[in-house]
Amino acid sequence: MASPATAGVAKAPARKPRKSVTGTRRTVAVLFLLPALVLLGALVVYPIGYSLIRSFYNANGDGFAGLDNYKAIFTDDGIRTALKNNVIWVVFAPTVSTALGLIFAVLTERVRWGTAFKLVVFMPMAISMLAAGIIFRLVYDQDPDKGVANAVWVGIHDTFARSSAFPNAHLGRESPLKPDQGGFITNTTVHTGQTVALPLVGVAPDQMPDGAKRAVAAKPDPGKITGTTWQDFTRGKGVGKLGVPDPSELGYDGMRIEAVKNGKVVASAKAAADGTFTLPAAADGARLRLPAGNFKQPYNGVDWLGPSLVTPAIIGSYVWMWAGFAMVLIAAGLAGVPRELLEAARVDGATEWQVFRKVTVPLLAPVLAVVTVTLMINVLKVFDLVYIIAPGSSQDDANVLALELYRKGFSEGQPGIASAIAVFLLLLVIPVMLFNIRRLRREERR
């Protein structure tokens, strides 16, 4: 019978099958990973490698261009505008989205309807960039009857500064008035006891003031100047008389009249609903003027998609979409904040603002960093919103690198420069991505 030592030696060769088992497991693992590796190579590695090589060739791909395509990134006006806009995007879009997400997460933590509010704020994430672009193209429409943004803006503006009711009024035939600084003024001076006719045409019936009444001829007053300002137009050929109020003609309710003498306004009045007005004796010897304020065009809102505001407007649509994403991640981080620390700060006499600024925000710093960096990576590649929202007239002003890549590669036939832009974008994204990965690993170790 073999001794225990001998038995141990005899059993040593039995370990060999374990190596084959380990090798088999590795083979199975590789086989399972192979489809993913093939897809990774075909969809990621190959395009990156091809773009890198193509960036050193000319537009036709048959001549080596060296670094010329990369020089174009810093010399081409369109690409430089795109670079500038990308900097604006990277600075403001992630910052505003993260700040709003933090505010929403903190404010909704203690309210009963917080979950419903978070659902509403997060809902835009379910919409594609294309759909969001179409929505905000309509929101920013210049026409207040179509664009929500201008409808609200015009409503607020008109609440404090009402538009004129006579923007299209102008002189008719044989008018006693002449143009003057955007308004109209009488050809001759007027005197007390005199009645003055100030007729105009051009105001559509549906644009006349709601309180306008049938125009009447003013009665003379010995110590004052009286007159009428009205719409001197009656429908129908040969109907009505020029310079005299007819039964169907309406007075210019609210029209302002000024008496001007030696370049100074010495008296003023506002027309009644029937167009009549009265000026004091101080207006004797003056000319009567209908100032330009009576005829200013109605306020049409802000040109959101014009050259100066198109980039901030598009960033606003991005924030609308991604603030919910930031809020959800920050809310998850907030759920892990120890409540004892917050309560201890309150017990020590800290106000809610101090608790938020000196306790909550520092504890959420890792989450805020991850959210901000993730959004920075995202905005570096933004394309859909800019392409859809910016109209053709402002697309050059709203240009970003991803859009310029598309335009160079598919519209202008310069695939070499487009490839250089793609490589440049990759170089911009990699450091931010590595920072994010290191952050996540550091958090895992904790």
Side-chain angles (χ1 to χ4, degrees), residues 63-335:
F64 186 74
L67 297 175
D68 290 347
N69 293 327
Y70 289 93
K71 290 178 182 176
I73 294 177
F74 302 99
T75 56
D76 184 275
D77 289 338
I79 302 178
R80 285 196 296 180
T81 300
L83 274 171
K84 180 194 73 174
N85 288 335
N86 264 101
V87 171
I88 294 172
W89 271 88
V90 168
V91 171
F92 290 101
T95 304
V96 176
S97 299
T98 304
L100 283 177
L102 174 62
I103 293 170
F104 291 155
V106 172
L107 293 181
T108 58
E109 186 186 21
R110 297 183 179 182
V111 295
R112 288 181 298 175
W113 43 267
T115 302
F117 179 83
K118 290 176 183 177
L119 178 64
V120 171
V121 175
F122 187 75
M123 199 175 292
M125 284 295 299
I127 303 174
S128 68
M129 286 278 198
L130 176 64
I134 294 172
I135 290 170
F136 274 88
R137 180 67 181 268
L138 296 174
V139 168
Y140 291 133
D141 195 288
Q142 179 68 44
D143 186 353
D145 294 330
K146 298 178 182 177
V148 175
N150 264 343
V152 174
W153 194 263
V154 169
I156 295 172
H157 175 274
D158 289 349
T159 300
F160 299 98
R162 296 192 63 183
S163 299
S164 168
F166 321 105
N168 299 314
H170 57 271
L171 301 177
R173 291 177 295 152
E174 302 177 16
S175 176
L177 299 165
K178 64 180 180 180
D180 178 72
Q181 300 177 7
F184 306 101
I185 195 168
T186 55
N187 293 311
T188 59
T189 58
V190 297
H191 300 279
T192 53
Q194 180 181 352
T195 58
V196 185
L198 303 178
L200 293 173
V201 296
V203 182
D206 60 342
Q207 293 180 346
M208 289 291 288
D210 295 335
K213 297 180 180 179
R214 184 173 69 86
V216 296
K219 296 180 180 179
D221 188 325
K224 298 179 181 179
I225 297 171
T226 57
T228 305
T229 177
W230 79 101
Q231 172 87 343
D232 191 19
F233 177 79
T234 303
R235 290 175 181 267
K237 188 175 181 180
V239 179
K241 297 180 180 179
L242 288 176
V244 178
D246 294 313
S248 62
E249 295 171 353
L250 298 176
Y252 283 145
D253 180 24
M255 178 75 78
R256 183 175 176 79
I257 302 97
E258 295 177 345
V260 180
K261 189 185 295 184
N262 298 325
K264 296 181 179 180
V265 177
V266 295
S268 64
K270 188 173 287 187
D274 57 4
T276 59
F277 61 88
T278 303
L279 289 166
D284 185 61
R287 290 188 179 190
L288 301 191
R289 180 173 67 188
L290 304 177
N294 290 314
F295 313 106
K296 64 180 181 180
Q297 292 295 321
Y299 182 66
N300 203 36
V302 178
D303 188 8
W304 297 104
L305 299 181
S308 58
L309 289 178
V310 63
T311 295
I314 299 174
I315 290 176
S317 67
Y318 178 90
V319 170
W320 175 77
M321 286 192 69
W322 288 88
F325 167 82
M327 178 194 66
V328 169
L329 293 186
I330 294 169
L334 191 61

